[in-house]
Amino acid sequence: MAKPEFHIFVCIQRRADGHPRGSCAAKGGEALFNAFSQVLIQKNLLGRIALTGTGCLGPCQAGANVLIYPGSLMYSWAEPGDAEIIIDHLLKGETYADKLAPAEIW
């Protein structure tokens, strides 16, 4: 496998219902991960962009969260419909300002 240009981490952390921090899985993290996977397949980007489901990225209150390297871009309150938009912006060298995590949490 070639070295990817970008690495997308999607929080799929699952905690018990009622946990004070909540979890990205409860906020759609797994569906978001699947949406990113489908977009990467459809756009034939699997070698160019790596995708990893991960544990907690930190700002649980703002989940589901996505972290992209290089650049340390954190997207919060992300939904499956945002996956293609985030990838399209990434490939253009742009950020998707609508879902960019605010400085207070990242």
Side-chain angles (χ1 to χ4, degrees):
M1 181 171 144
K3 180 179 175 183
E5 292 176 50
F6 304 101
H7 200 141
I8 299 173
F9 298 90
V10 179
C11 181
I12 54 173
Q13 174 76 41
R14 181 170 297 285
R15 293 194 178 94
D17 291 341
H19 189 283
R21 290 186 69 192
S23 70
C24 284
K27 296 175 182 172
E30 293 164 344
L32 179 60
F33 179 87
N34 291 335
F36 272 105
S37 180
Q38 289 302 309
V39 172
L40 293 176
I41 290 167
Q42 290 168 357
K43 293 182 177 266
N44 197 28
L45 294 170
L46 287 175
R48 190 171 173 196
I49 300 175
L51 176 66
T52 301
T54 187
C56 187
L57 293 172
C60 304
Q61 74 280 13
N65 293 297
V66 176
L67 180 59
I68 300 177
Y69 283 103
S72 298
L73 293 173
M74 173 76 78
Y75 292 100
S76 296
W77 297 282
E79 301 172 64
D82 297 318
E84 185 168 11
I85 298 167
I86 290 170
I87 288 172
D88 288 346
H89 278 75
L90 185 64
L91 294 173
K92 294 177 191 172
E94 302 171 353
T95 57
Y96 178 39
D98 290 358
K99 297 290 176 144
L100 200 59
E104 308 85 70
I105 64 170
W106 180 248

